[in-house]
Amino acid sequence: MSALSFISNYGSSSDESEKESEENKRLQPQCKKIKLQLPDLSCVPIVPPESHSEDPQDHGGRVRSFPHVRGNWATFIYVKYPEEESLLSLSQRLLGILSAFKDSCHVCDNVHISLSKTVVLQYHLITPFTRSLQEVFRNIDCFCLDFSGIKVYCNEENTRTFIALEVDYSSKIRLLQLSQNVDDVLKEYKLPLFYENPSFHMSIIWLTGDKKAELSSLMSEFNNSLNKELGNTINPVLVSDLNCKIGNKYFQFTLQ
């Protein structure tokens, strides 16, 4: 069979297929669009997109100082204690003294010394705010941090009580200078300033509720425990950087 025969047969076969396809289309019934019935959603509860649990049981009994609002970022500046493991022995001693409160006692994690209150910052201010902090910390020297005793504190909402290490006099002078620098930045952004006469401390144990009065009789035992650890497991440490937490973001500023 010649090449022309193959071409002729292919063309003939193609024509027949097209005729069959058109015939099938003519014979098939036309499909009609079916309008689907909308589901009844009247019984489905509407959940706000920004729904947050405020149950204290979800956070070890802790209560928010202010409600969560989209676009508001909880912010505070602090000194992070670089040798947290050295506090384990003291914490165990204190927990032994607090056996009567064991159901409400918690060891603090991420121990630190605050240089500001927790304030609310808008997202678009995060970058300029941290730049302002960097500027005021630019010429600050490293310093030694040490402690002189144990004190008991209660938060402003009276929802938690803290057993804390109070800094010594020389550390207080340096921390006071730093908090004043932070206040200068807070003023710039019209945010609440730190306490007028701050008592710089590092919380190591917290209890639910206001327990200050109940713990007052244990102060001598607390300080005796601290005296056994000072110079043993707890020694002066060098502070070489400062920290800022804004929501889930962390910023660190290196000192000279």
Side-chain angles (χ1 to χ4, degrees):
M1 185 180 289
S2 68
L4 290 176
S5 298
F6 278 113
I7 295 173
S8 175
N9 288 341
Y10 176 80
S12 175
S13 175
S14 175
D15 291 341
E16 290 176 0
S17 296
E18 289 178 0
K19 289 178 182 178
E20 289 177 2
S21 176
E22 290 176 1
E23 182 66 18
N24 288 336
K25 286 182 180 179
R26 186 179 64 79
L27 295 175
Q28 288 177 356
Q30 296 295 317
C31 294
K32 295 182 180 181
K33 292 183 179 180
I34 301 174
K35 188 175 181 181
L36 298 176
Q37 184 178 0
L38 293 176
D40 182 10
L41 302 179
S42 60
C43 297
V44 179
I46 299 174
V47 180
E50 291 299 319
S51 178
H52 294 265
S53 170
E54 300 297 341
D55 187 351
Q57 297 303 319
D58 295 337
H59 309 283
R62 289 173 288 183
V63 178
R64 274 185 175 273
S65 298
F66 44 82
H68 174 86
V69 177
R70 184 179 177 85
N72 287 352
W73 291 63
T75 302
F76 78 104
I77 299 94
Y78 60 98
V79 175
K80 181 174 176 58
Y81 189 64
E83 297 184 9
E84 191 168 342
E85 289 186 2
S86 67
L87 302 172
L88 293 177
S89 178
L90 176 61
S91 297
Q92 291 304 313
R93 286 180 183 271
L94 297 181
L95 288 175
I97 298 171
L98 293 163
S99 57
F101 303 89
K102 62 181 180 180
D103 293 335
S104 61
C105 278
H106 306 267
V107 176
C108 296
D109 52 1
N110 299 319
V111 291
H112 64 274
I113 300 171
S114 297
L115 296 174
S116 75
K117 296 179 180 180
T118 299
V119 299
V120 175
L121 193 68
Q122 297 294 306
Y123 178 79
H124 67 279
L125 295 175
I126 292 176
T127 297
F129 182 81
T130 52
R131 284 177 180 167
S132 295
L133 288 176
Q134 186 176 31
E135 186 61 32
V136 298
F137 294 150
R138 187 180 300 278
N139 298 315
I140 301 294
D141 294 329
C142 300
F143 64 96
C144 242
L145 175 68
D146 203 0
F147 304 99
S148 61
I150 288 183
K151 288 190 71 173
V152 175
Y153 298 84
C154 195
N155 64 357
E156 294 180 357
E157 297 80 19
N158 295 321
T159 57
R160 285 202 287 169
T161 303
F162 300 88
I163 299 172
L165 302 182
E166 187 178 27
V167 304
D168 68 353
Y169 180 76
S170 60
S171 301
K172 179 179 179 179
I173 297 302
R174 296 303 305 274
L175 292 168
L176 186 59
Q177 176 194 0
L178 290 170
S179 68
Q180 289 170 347
N181 290 340
V182 172
D183 274 353
D184 289 340
V185 176
L186 296 173
K187 286 177 187 176
E188 181 184 348
Y189 291 87
K190 298 179 180 174
L191 296 170
L193 306 183
F194 203 35
Y195 302 101
E196 187 174 348
N197 296 304
S199 175
F200 296 103
H201 61 275
M202 185 173 71
S203 298
I204 56 175
I205 291 177
W206 66 273
L207 301 87
T208 53
D210 183 352
K211 302 288 195 308
K212 282 186 72 174
E214 297 172 64
L215 297 179
S216 60
S217 62
L218 301 175
M219 290 305 300
S220 60
E221 291 184 68
F222 290 159
N223 281 291
N224 286 338
S225 295
L226 175 61
N227 290 334
K228 291 177 182 178
E229 298 298 334
L230 287 175
N232 183 16
T233 60
I234 301 176
N235 294 293
V237 296
L238 182 67
V239 176
S240 57
D241 51 61
L242 304 175
N243 299 270
C244 176
K245 183 176 184 293
I246 304 178
N248 59 356
K249 299 177 183 291
Y250 292 84
F251 302 86
Q252 191 172 80
F253 308 93
T254 303
L255 303 180
Q256 290 189 342

